[in-house]
């Protein structure tokens, strides 16, 4: 059976990927900080007939990240798919948050993504097959700092990898959803209760469309027509219009909190 390693699988998109890949016949390597939730998820997945390996690791800690890198680089236990899903939002402006919070964001959503891909690729190239799915965001196309800046790196990095790996049998893709009904916004302290339901996506639908786009060879997947339209507009609108819309969004969000 093929094996997939998923970071941040205890909730939201990460759990959606773990459950979908298990149903598709993948064994799983599950990586997160919360051992209790990891163990519970592993037990649930094993009930459907797949093997689940648990790695408790904080990806912001270099020594713990190195342990995950070693697992990915182990040629005796090959990983066929890497899903870099772990991430979080600070939930406040750059100037209102601590530099340590911002550094942790970079460590998890930029450094870990880069290092885990780098650990995975050599073995995949030897086997002439493998998939790298880096969960980014529609925010990567918009002036959302610092979260959007980190995700912009993920999107650009994934596109570059896809170009570099073309023809090798190894695929790389950035998955760029918009609002998804998960624990993400609650953990970040963001109140989105009054957001328009048009913009909310279902976890399973995002995972399904992402995996379909991966099979089609796309380097960037933007689930849903609404967000495809938004991203197209963001690419052609003048930067100042985007900055004004972001200021409006932040002001509206502040009034809701």
């Amino acid at each position: 059976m093929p094996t997939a390693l998923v970071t941040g699988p205890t909730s939201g998109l990460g759990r959606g990927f773990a459950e979908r890949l298990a149903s598709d016949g993948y064994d799983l390597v599950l990586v997160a900080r919360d051992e209790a939730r990891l163990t519970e998820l592993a037990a649930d997945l094993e009930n459907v007939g797949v093997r689940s390996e648990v790695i408790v690791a904080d990806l912001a800690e270099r020594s713990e990240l190195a342990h995950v890198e070693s697992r990915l680089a182990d040629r005796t236990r090959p990983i066929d798919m890497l899903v870099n899903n772990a991430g979080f939002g600070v939930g406040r402006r750059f100037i209102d948050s601590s530099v340590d919070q911002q550094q942790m964001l970079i460590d998890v959503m930029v450094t870990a993504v880069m290092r885990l891909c780098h650990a995975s690729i050599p073995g995949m190239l030897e086997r002439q097959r493998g998939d790298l799915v880096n969960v980014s965001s529609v925010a990567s196309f918009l002036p959302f700092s610092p979260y959007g800046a980190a995700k912009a790196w993920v999107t650009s990095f994934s596109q570059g990898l896809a170009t570099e790996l073309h023809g090798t049998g190894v695929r790389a893709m950035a998955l760029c959803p918009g609002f998804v009904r998960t624990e993400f916004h609650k953990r970040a302290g963001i109140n989105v209760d009054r957001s328009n339901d048009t913009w909310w996506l279902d976890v399973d639908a995002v995972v399904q469309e992402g995996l379909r786009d991966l099979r089609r060879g796309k380097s960037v997947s933007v689930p849903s027509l609404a967000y495809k339209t938004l991203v197209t507009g963001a690419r052609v609108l003048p930067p100042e219009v985007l900055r004004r819309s972001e200021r409006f969004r932040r002001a509206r969000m502040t009034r809701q909190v």
Side-chain angles (χ1 to χ4, degrees), residues 13-195:
L13 282 175
R15 187 176 185 110
F17 268 106
E19 292 175 344
R20 173 58 186 267
L21 292 172
S23 70
D24 287 347
Y26 282 78
D27 288 332
L28 277 300
V29 180
L30 308 170
V31 180
R33 294 181 298 173
D34 191 327
E35 183 173 8
R37 295 182 75 177
L38 276 178
T39 302
E40 179 183 357
L41 173 59
D44 289 343
L45 296 177
E46 287 175 358
N47 286 335
V48 299
V50 303
R51 292 182 299 175
S52 296
E53 177 185 344
V54 167
I55 299 178
V56 180
D58 182 345
L59 299 181
E61 296 293 332
R62 188 60 60 86
S63 61
E64 297 182 32
L65 175 60
H67 179 56
V68 184
E69 292 176 60
S70 296
R71 177 63 184 87
L72 285 165
D74 187 346
R75 302 293 208 278
T76 66
R77 297 180 296 164
I79 298 296
D80 301 282
M81 178 182 290
L82 167 65
V83 180
N84 272 313
N85 167 76
F88 63 95
V90 173
R92 54 175 66 103
R93 297 188 306 169
F94 176 76
I95 59 175
D96 294 330
S97 59
S98 74
V99 71
D100 288 338
Q101 287 177 309
Q102 300 302 336
Q103 184 62 62
M104 186 178 295
L105 183 147
I106 296 295
D107 290 341
V108 173
M109 297 199 299
V110 175
T111 302
V113 170
M114 180 272 292
R115 294 186 70 94
L116 296 183
C117 284
H118 194 271
S120 302
I121 290 171
M124 290 181 175
L125 287 176
E126 285 182 4
R127 298 186 297 275
Q128 299 183 341
R129 66 180 187 278
D131 293 309
L132 306 165
V133 177
N134 297 322
V135 177
S136 184
S137 171
V138 163
S140 67
F141 303 100
L142 302 168
F144 295 175
S145 180
Y147 177 85
K151 290 302 190 182
W153 184 92
V154 173
T155 299
S156 181
F157 172 69
S158 302
Q159 289 176 294
L161 276 184
T163 300
E164 190 172 332
L165 295 169
H166 180 71
T168 66
V170 181
R171 300 177 292 196
M173 187 189 76
L175 175 61
C176 300
F179 288 129
V180 185
R181 293 197 181 280
T182 70
E183 297 177 2
F184 175 88
H185 299 95
K186 181 179 180 180
R187 289 180 175 179
I190 299 172
N191 185 346
V192 291
D193 289 342
R194 291 163 59 185
S195 296

Side-chain angles (χ1 to χ4, degrees), residues 55 119 210 212 219:
I55 299 178
R212 184 174 65 239
S219 62

